[in-house]
Amino acid sequence: MDNLLQLQNGFKAFGSRRLFERASFAVNEGEHVGVIGPNGAGKTTLFKILTGEEDLDSGQVICACNLKLGYLSQQEDWNTGEIVESYVSPASAILPIWETKRLAKNLGLEQWHFSQKLTALSGGLRMRVKLLRLMAQQPNLMLLDEPTNYLDLESVIAVEKFLQGFEGAFLLISHDREFLHRTTDHTLEIESGEMTKYNGNIEDYFEQKQLLQIQLQARAFSLAEKQKQILDFVSRFGAKATKARQAQSRLKLLDKMESIEIKALPVRAKIKIPAPAREGRLVLTTHNLSLGYGEKEILKNIQLQLARGDHLAVVGYNGAGKTTLLKALAGRLEPLSGLISHGYEASFAYFAQDVTEELDALNTTYTVQKALEKKAHRTVLPQEIFDLAGALLFSGDDLKKPISVLSGGERSRVALGQVLLQKASCLLLDEPTNHLDFDTVEALTQALGAYPGSVVVVSHDRGFIRRVGTKILEINNGQIGVYPGTYDEYVWSIQKGAYATLNTENDRKKLKADLRVQARVGDSFKQIGKFNYKDQKKNLDRKIRQLDSTIARLDRKLSAHHDEIARLNRELSNPAAHLAPQASSAMISEMGRLQNEVLSLESEWLRCVEEKDLALKELEGMVSN
């Protein structure tokens, strides 16, 4: 497999801040590489360097002679009055327009889209058109910068399927963990000025990072033990003439010993959202609500009741009216007709996609800390503000930064912090995970899941929605209703294109039943008929015996693994063993493998014990009855 592009010893700084230092990596033909790293690590800057928009301070980018580079940036770069057909067939296009139109079907674009103005399309369709224009240039390496931001689920799935089938290579910046998992086979980590490329997708990356940490810790422990033994020897015998030469020799050995720097795994942020100041049982009710702009009606006859603790995930195509609904609930949009009634002392905090524009970026004395304090509820303690700021990656001197010098992603995090500190009865969140890194998204997911107040959220991040939303509110053809199924069932229906054809409640119930049947394929169905006590007792007895046997086998394996880990640790710590570097490395790798197996075996052991306890309780219940 040939290299398409290499970065060698790249160095890039902005003032006193070093972005990259001795950074190197390569992209080979056909590789699908996810690019990850904390906000501000330099991911977008890397893309600009590779395209020639930015220059390295030192180092070089080496391109293959057959490289055809395509760049999909976050910024819209089209003429707003242009129609789709002229936009996707620029002078740089290699594919003829008829071939481009044929390729458009893979992105869910139809023939009639080509006669539309770009401004008439939803954000999701625009992204697909941008990707199609890129494909018309026939690149063999694409640079894709956050292509799923602000896309609806249908568009995310369309882009996902397209990338899965793309035969060329690409570098993909994304904070959407599930999207990366489904589309990439390598991971490029940008962290602390360094770049490291890992085989495998994002889940493989996290496993490898943890294993590498275990191996380095084992090696460092071994070296620390050796160093302690040498220092003990010198301390005891250094003053004795007969041992002085040996003591000096061992001190020289100590100087020559390698030093291992163990980089801590990224600190997982933990967000604690202050509980609502006041909560009534009912937060909000709508009565025959119609919403729109001017004479254009977007949503009609909305009947919605939001109770304390409800977590609603709002889903639907781009342009369906998700943002319109949140704006109205937040009081930012007057209804065309109907009423919105608020519960007793209910309060609302709204995070909008354009909320960063409301930050006072021109005032150089308006800092991150002041911005958070300004919106925080009067009962929020200063320490709570500092804790939340730290979880959103603002700590120490970062709190004193003026809003005017922050990047778009940093301003978005400040705005999110302002919303979370208001102690609102209901949080209205429109795409809150954009511009957040993995750890912050995970922290926000857990915090919202535990939030005792109400939440109404719109997001393209499937993992986030799946864990935060307890009810699915679906917008379709101007109507709003609770989706008759789980979020996974909704995603499945979008993937199959099934839900778009459902017109009646009976159709939806039938789909729900079909989906549940599919989910049970391969499961054992309970026999329908008269309950047979003897057969049931016999089955439980057999199950308990099998579990006992499995638990005993797992105990033996765990004991053997612990003994082997202890033996390897003793050998690595033994200075008399004189191990070759290759042997030490092999032993460290084996320790890492065994420790991973121990974790897996312990998890399996715990599952079997819990399953046995349940079976015993069921058996006891049968006997007592």
Side-chain angles (χ1 to χ4, degrees), residues 109-147:
L109 293 169
E110 303 296 338
Q111 291 298 312
W112 63 269
H113 285 127
F114 285 83
S115 61
Q116 300 293 305
K117 287 187 176 181
L118 290 164
T119 50
L121 300 181
S122 68
L125 288 174
R126 288 183 187 182
M127 177 55 71
R128 296 190 230 176
V129 168
K130 288 178 75 174
L131 193 54
L132 184 63
R133 173 188 167 102
L134 191 63
M135 292 313 302
Q137 300 167 33
Q138 290 284 275
N140 56 5
L141 174 59
M142 294 192 298
L143 308 180
L144 309 172
D145 193 351
E146 295 282 7

Side-chain angles (χ1 to χ4, degrees), residues 337-523:
S337 62
L339 295 172
I340 300 176
S341 301
H342 293 164
Y344 176 69
E345 292 192 333
S347 57
F348 299 82
Y350 177 45
F351 179 87
Q353 293 183 23
D354 58 356
V355 72
T356 57
E357 296 175 8
E358 299 177 13
L359 294 172
D360 187 359
L362 298 179
N363 184 351
T364 56
T365 64
Y366 191 52
T367 63
V368 171
Q369 183 174 342
K370 287 182 179 179
L372 295 175
E373 290 172 345
K374 179 180 178 181
K375 291 287 187 176
H377 191 272
R378 65 181 183 278
T379 62
V380 171
L381 300 174
Q383 188 59 49
E384 290 181 289
I385 295 176
F386 294 146
D387 290 344
L388 186 62
L392 294 172
L393 308 182
F394 296 108
S395 58
D397 291 340
D398 291 335
L399 284 168
K400 300 174 183 177
K401 281 185 178 179
I403 299 297
S404 58
V405 304
L406 299 182
S407 67
E410 288 172 324
R411 292 184 190 184
S412 181
R413 298 203 306 273
V414 172
L416 179 60
Q418 288 182 322
V419 168
L420 300 181
L421 288 168
Q422 290 179 38
K423 287 195 170 185
S425 310
C426 178
L427 302 177
L428 304 167
L429 308 174
D430 194 355
E431 297 287 2
T433 64
N434 284 337
H435 307 298
L436 300 182
D437 58 29
F438 292 117
D439 289 326
T440 311
V441 170
E442 176 64 21
L444 181 62
T445 303
Q446 293 181 9
L448 290 174
Y451 186 62
S454 302
V455 177
V456 183
V457 62
V458 173
S459 176
H460 71 274
D461 189 320
R462 283 164 286 184
F464 177 76
I465 284 291
R466 185 180 292 112
R467 294 168 60 192
V468 171
T470 57
K471 294 181 181 178
I472 308 301
L473 196 68
E474 200 251 352
I475 300 180
N476 192 17
N477 295 323
Q479 300 289 319
I480 289 180
V482 176
Y483 179 76
T486 65
Y487 182 67
D488 284 330
E489 290 169 344
Y490 175 76
V491 172
W492 185 90
S493 69
I494 295 296
Q495 287 173 326
K496 301 301 179 184
Y499 198 68
T501 63
L502 302 183
N503 297 314
T504 68
E505 185 62 28
N506 285 336
D507 287 335
R508 298 187 184 196
K509 288 180 179 178
K510 183 176 183 302
L511 173 62
K512 181 180 176 182
D514 291 343
L515 288 168
R516 288 183 174 170
V517 168
Q518 286 233 353
R520 292 198 302 266
V521 169
D523 289 352

Side-chain angles (χ1 to χ4, degrees), residues 288-301:
N288 298 318
L289 190 65
S290 292
L291 303 173
Y293 304 91
E295 297 181 356
K296 184 179 180 181
E297 188 179 54
I298 306 294
L299 301 171
K300 56 188 176 183
N301 299 325

Side-chain angles (χ1 to χ4, degrees), residues 185-205:
D185 50 37
H186 288 76
T187 301
L188 179 66
E189 176 197 60
I190 303 177
E191 187 178 37
S192 303
E194 298 180 358
M195 298 183 189
T196 309
K197 187 179 171 188
Y198 294 82
N199 290 327
N201 61 34
I202 188 67
E203 303 304 329
D204 300 320
Y205 157 79

